[in-house]
Amino acid sequence: MLRVLSVAAAAAPRLPRPCAPPGPLLLGLLSRQVRAAAGSADAERGSVLKTPKGTRDHHPAQMALRERLFRTVVTCFKRHGAAAIDTPVLELREMLMEKYGDNSKLIYELQDQGGELLALRYDLTVPFARYLAMNKITNIKRYHIAKVYRRDNPAMTRGRYREFYQCDFDIAGQFDPMIPDAECLKIVHEILSELQIGDFLIKVNDRRILNGVFAICGIPESKLLTMCSTLDKLDKMPWEEVRSEMVGEKGLSPEAADRIGEYVQLHGGMDLIEQLLQDPKLSQNKLAKEGLGDMKLLFEYLTLFGITGKISFDLSLARGLDYYTGLIIEAVLLQQENDHGEESVSVGSVAGGGRYDGLVGTFDPKGRKVPCVGVSIGIERIFSILEHRMKAAGEKVRTTETQVMVATPQKHLLSARLKLISELWDAGIKAEMMYRKDPKLLKQLQYCEDMGIPLVAIIGEQELRDGVVKLRDVATREEVDIPREELAAEIRRRLKP
């Protein structure tokens, strides 16, 4: 109020000092000015009462759904023996720059903070590599779920934000080829299957194969990374447009672009790997031959896991990050075939990852390398899909885990409710009560139905005399008297999964 008055005083015309108390006219003028200033301040506050672009609040129903998704993901990560770590949301700017190729421009850089140039983390992979180098760790299987930040053009209806969660699983260490890589693909398959978000396909490629293709097509090494960034757009635009960018913006000759096109439009499985191993040009390239050998080994392991039906060796997959050195992975949701029998098409990426054997060495003072492979689950995209589906189906989400409501049917029983709910809390039961001295029983029962609380523990004067509690099933409305000392055990028995 003081601030508003000062605004009004500043805006008011300068008047001579009155000798007597201000009259009604002057008081009316000041009152109108105060109200106008207050309204202006409210309007000003209202104009900025929103979250920053590319961010959002999550209400309880959304958080309940998100927590369910996180539980599924974490359960899978733990099933595969991963330990959790955490790293700061801030990193030294120099640690992040030049690690992401063309995407480095999307890093949120911060001004000098106490003598350090900082930035918000762009992903969880580079901080993990820094963590390994700093702590001299050469062998770990970890998971990390945390927010990352990208100065991108958000498309929030499709789960694309400037602030969002990543769910990462990584294996660091020197192991025999493709065994950890195969496990990462198995994890993606498990999670997408358990979440039941629709048909999906996991695309795989290898940077060495891609570099080999570029080499035999006459692409200089200096253009490899920028070519990968352009090729990475093939999932969003047709080959003709990608070719046009390669020629028009990246300076590639039309002939070289056409030679690349012959390869990058191929996709398949073990048959395609065997075909490329016999390719007279590609088989002569050392990098490509190594990559194809490892890809063949990978498909042998995936066959043992029984998941090759969902895996596609896709030469168009590039993933535009600089740090990938071998296997690259991207999982996409598929749109089902329509009535015209057209082929299933991708409708969005929901996971990605790959092998980055050189990244840790860029942080180590002695350049010591730690081979790494990992995957990241696109939890925001999955959340958007499930949220839209539940809304369309009119499905309600329970926002609390309350097991029982403690209720009273008569007045003056607040102390009885407080004693009983305290006993239940102490026994580890999730319980609630209404914050009223004498709430109506009907209101208490209605609250249970609205919130999805399955049981009501009713304690009235008769129950107090008999040493029992009336336990009511909200769904069936059946009631039974339970000895008070057995109430917690009975609640657990009824709600046992």
Side-chain angles (χ1 to χ4, degrees), residues 334-486:
L334 298 176
Q335 199 171 58
Q336 300 304 307
E337 290 184 8
N338 58 28
D339 296 337
H340 304 293
E342 291 176 2
E343 191 176 317
S344 297
V345 295
S346 165
V347 293
S349 173
V350 288
R355 177 160 286 280
Y356 50 103
D357 289 348
L359 188 56
V360 177
T362 64
F363 292 110
D364 191 283
K366 296 182 179 179
R368 288 170 292 209
K369 293 184 178 181
V370 178
C372 298
V373 64
V375 289
S376 181
I377 306 300
I379 205 73
E380 302 291 357
R381 169 74 175 155
I382 293 170
F383 172 72
S384 293
I385 292 165
L386 290 181
E387 184 185 27
H388 177 76
R389 185 182 297 172
M390 292 178 76
K391 196 175 292 184
E395 187 179 337
K396 282 186 71 174
V397 180
R398 272 201 72 186
T399 58
T400 73
E401 296 182 6
T402 305
Q403 296 168 301
V404 62
M405 177 82 171
V406 176
T408 45
Q410 296 111 8
K411 292 184 177 181
H412 312 304
L413 289 174
L414 175 60
S415 58
R417 272 189 293 144
L418 290 172
K419 284 182 181 177
L420 181 57
I421 200 168
S422 182
E423 290 172 17
L424 292 174
W425 285 336
D426 291 345
I429 300 295
K430 298 167 184 173
E432 276 190 71
M433 58 173 269
M434 298 200 86
Y435 301 131
R436 297 279 184 186
K437 284 185 179 180
D438 300 311
K440 288 185 170 64
L441 182 60
L442 190 60
K443 276 198 170 182
Q444 297 171 83
L445 297 178
Q446 186 62 49
Y447 179 80
C448 293
E449 292 195 10
D450 292 343
M451 299 302 292
I453 300 171
L455 298 172
V456 189
I458 302 171
I459 185 161
E461 293 169 355
Q462 187 63 47
E463 285 79 19
L464 286 170
R465 283 193 293 271
D466 296 344
V468 298
V469 176
K470 195 178 295 295
L471 192 60
R472 178 186 175 99
D473 186 302
V474 174
T476 65
R477 301 187 179 182
E478 293 177 356
E479 296 179 349
V480 61
D481 287 345
I482 306 293
R484 185 161 177 156
E485 64 275 11
E486 297 175 14

Side-chain angles (χ1 to χ4, degrees), residues 18-37:
C19 298
L25 186 61
L26 181 56
L27 284 173
L29 173 63
L30 286 171
S31 176
R32 282 196 298 274
Q33 288 174 329
V34 168
R35 285 199 302 271

Side-chain angles (χ1 to χ4, degrees), residues 96-122:
L96 301 186
M97 300 311 288
E98 299 179 5
K99 298 292 193 303
Y100 302 102
D102 290 349
N103 291 328
S104 290
K105 63 181 179 291
L106 302 180
I107 293 173
Y108 271 106
E109 299 180 49
L110 305 178
Q111 293 193 359
D112 187 352
Q113 301 291 322
E116 292 183 328
L117 295 176
L118 305 176
L120 298 179
R121 61 187 173 204
Y122 177 88

Side-chain angles (χ1 to χ4, degrees), residues 103 126 275 469 487 492:
N103 291 328
V126 170
Q275 176 189 325
V469 176
L487 180 60
R492 287 194 200 93

